[in-house]
Amino acid sequence: MVSATSRGARLVALTVGALVAVSVGAAVPAGAGGSPGDWTPGWAGAASAVSAVTAATPASSDDVRRFVDERAEALRLPSLAVVVVKDGQTFVEHYVGGVDGSTPYYLGSTSKQLTGLVAQALIADGRLRLDDRLGDVLPEFADAGPSHAAITVRQLLGHTAGWSTAAGQRKWGWFAGAPGSIRDEAEVLASVDLERAPGSGYEHSNANYDVLGALIEEVTGTSYATALRDLVAGPLGLTRTTADPAEAARWGVAEGHYTWFGALTVPTPAPRPAGGVPSALVVSSADDLALVARAHLGAVDTRLPDEVLAAAAEPVARVHDQAEYASGWYVRRLWEAVPPGGDWRDPGLPACLEHDGMIDRSMTTMFVCREVGLAVVALSNVGSGPDANRLQRLRVELVHQVLGTEAGEPPRDLLVERSTWVLVGGPTLGLGLVLVAAALAACRRRTAATIVSLVALAYGAGLLWLALVHVPNRDGAHLPLRAMWSAVPDLALVTAITTLLPVAAAGIAVRQAAGQRRPQGPRSPADAGI
């Protein structure tokens, strides 16, 4: 006869195995995870760029507007501003949620291309060089050690200075002691260890552009906000672009939202660390970003010299074999121009610029392809949450629509599709197991209580592994734990609850095991039924 303890051990083993199987199944790559620097469009397909573009039947402007309306609703976006430029001219302007082309949004990492333009303007003016070393220019790095001091402007622009992604994220979150200025952030980063030698490899990190912002302040003798206004926003004619949060507030920057548990999008506050402005907290509008895009297309005259725009689009680092990085732009081929099943690695495809921005309560994306006269700008005031690539997928679909090419079917991301169940149902089931174990213990059914508590312990540990190890490794998003409360507050709440499940289950299991080992005294006549 198989003992209850043996059956319990088998049940625990089966539970752990099921958790592993579910987690592996959920590890399907995201449909459009990250930027081209971090992924390749295996579902895009490609043929000859020329034949695909010329033989296609592009969508009409009305078709694009209807599509934007549908996607805004399906993606639970509280607002959406979209501008499509075709043949150098505005093809579609469409706004959802009571905004217009002048509504300012926090840009997230799309800020980097504006910081890159400031740096290139200083280089064109002779005040800065690509090979200038931080130790020679920025006081915070003069005594920071040989590796930090040797970092160059080129390496900052190309994310090859050596800081990890996590190093650039450590200032985000609700906590005291975050750097109060760009220079304070640079001083902190001067003491943060590098993951690799400067210039030895690419790793996207906000640290690079935050230090670049401090370098801009040092070289110009002004604030970063003033340098951005004088060197880029003014010459380009941008009227709703600023790095000054007070000015952004006066303009009525779009209120940030978050989609809780993958189902409910509501206004939700978020921190705005002052040290992160150059990399992620510049504010701009759809009209302004469309003007920047048209300037890169060569379709509009501005006071910003053409050589500055050209230099900003010139790669300074290799990301992988299909993408490079310029001054705040990924540079890759126009793989949307080809049908599914083709060779999207074709080196004859036109070169394009793109970058996405994702911060706690805002998402933006920009795409510019000068050779075909095409640009796409999209902004929304909602945080990324479990589906971090909503706006990026929208941009890819818009490019396909304008070119008239078939997008193909992207891989499914089961964690995103079932995020509501994972975030709500997962912890609820774990709590139910703990309550059942407690009820069995109260009824003195020690063996059953031990078995259920061990199952709850394994289940809770599995959920923690999924939230803190598996998903971050899959998405390459290693947020500091303290930053989770601002970036993904629902996941942080679930993680906190889930942490208590193994503790409670372990406590029940230990108590029951101790009770089983305790010697039993003689039963009373009443217990014996006498």
Side-chain angles (χ1 to χ4, degrees), residues 128-517:
L128 197 62
R129 296 177 302 173
L130 284 174
D131 294 324
D132 279 345
R133 300 165 70 253
L134 287 183
D136 299 330
V137 184
L138 199 57
E140 290 86 348
F141 283 78
D143 301 316
S147 294
H148 289 74
I151 294 170
T152 66
V153 174
R154 184 192 308 273
Q155 290 160 359
L156 293 176
L157 288 168
H159 294 288
T160 61
W163 282 293
S164 67
T165 300
Q169 294 176 327
R170 26 150 288 287
K171 62 183 168 292
W172 292 87
W174 298 108
F175 62 94
S181 69
I182 296 169
R183 298 302 290 263
D184 288 346
E185 173 69 1
E187 185 175 359
V188 171
L189 288 169
S191 64
V192 174
D193 291 340
L194 302 178
E195 290 293 308
R196 58 181 58 82
S200 63
Y202 167 90
E203 182 171 356
H204 190 103
S205 178
N206 286 349
N208 295 285
Y209 277 73
D210 291 333
V211 171
L212 190 60
L215 187 63
I216 289 168
E217 291 190 337
E218 178 68 22
V219 171
T220 62
T222 64
S223 68
Y224 170 79
T226 299
L228 175 64
R229 182 195 66 201
D230 294 347
L231 296 173
V232 172
L236 279 174
L238 311 181
T239 61
R240 283 294 183 269
T241 297
T242 184
D244 181 348
E247 187 170 39
R250 288 195 300 271
W251 290 343
V253 65
E255 182 181 20
H257 289 62
Y258 186 77
T259 302
W260 287 80
F261 304 105
L264 181 64
T265 300
V266 295
T268 306
R272 300 283 181 245
V277 172
S279 67
L281 290 173
V282 174
V283 167
S284 191
S285 67
D287 283 347
D288 277 6
L289 293 186
L291 183 55
V292 173
R294 293 182 65 211
H296 277 289
L297 292 174
V300 62
D301 292 328
T302 72
R303 292 189 292 110
L304 189 67
D306 290 343
E307 57 266 28
V308 172
L309 291 162
E314 187 67 26
V316 292
R318 169 66 62 178
V319 178
H320 55 60
D321 62 345
Q322 294 299 319
E324 297 174 288
Y325 201 87
S327 297
W329 291 103
Y330 285 101
V331 184
R332 52 89 164 176
R333 297 295 173 182
L334 183 62
W335 46 261
E336 294 97 336
V338 294
D343 180 15
W344 56 267
R345 294 178 175 85
D346 181 359
L349 293 170
C352 305
L353 308 173
E354 73 169 26
H355 215 290
D356 305 305
M358 292 173 286
I359 56 172
D360 296 350
R361 306 293 178 264
S362 184
M363 293 190 294
T364 64
T365 187
M366 283 187 72
F367 171 88
V368 178
C369 199
R370 182 169 181 137
E371 292 183 50
V372 295
L374 175 62
V376 173
V377 170
L379 309 93
S380 184
N381 57 328
V382 65
S384 54
D387 190 359
N389 305 305
R390 283 179 281 181
L391 214 60
Q392 188 187 57
R393 291 198 306 275
L394 172 66
R395 183 249 302 153
V396 170
E397 291 168 328
L398 283 171
V399 173
H400 277 291
Q401 287 218 348
V402 175
L403 294 177
T405 53
E406 184 180 350
E409 187 67 28
R412 296 177 62 189
D413 188 338
L414 299 183
L415 280 180
V416 170
E417 292 179 8
R418 300 171 186 175
S419 60
T420 301
W421 186 93
V422 172
L423 291 171
V424 178
T428 301
L429 178 57
L431 180 61
L433 287 171
V434 171
L435 293 176
V436 169
L440 291 171
C443 296
R444 297 187 179 183
R445 298 180 60 181
R446 291 193 175 96
T447 299
T450 300
I451 292 172
V452 175
S453 63
L454 289 175
V455 172
L457 176 62
Y459 182 81
L463 286 180
L464 283 176
W465 173 80
L466 190 67
L468 301 179
V469 178
H470 175 70
V471 171
N473 285 335
R474 187 198 70 155
D475 294 343
H478 297 278
L479 278 176
L481 288 177
R482 61 188 180 186
M484 288 181 64
W485 289 100
S486 62
V488 280
D490 48 359
L491 179 59
L493 179 62
V494 166
T495 301
I497 295 172
T498 303
T499 301
L500 300 176
L501 297 180
V503 175
I508 294 172
V510 169
R511 287 175 62 86
Q512 298 313 302
Q516 286 178 333
R517 290 195 300 268

Side-chain angles (χ1 to χ4, degrees), residues 71-85:
R71 299 305 289 154
E73 181 178 0
L75 297 175
R76 299 186 178 92
L77 303 179
S79 75
L80 178 61
V82 172
V83 178
V84 178
V85 177

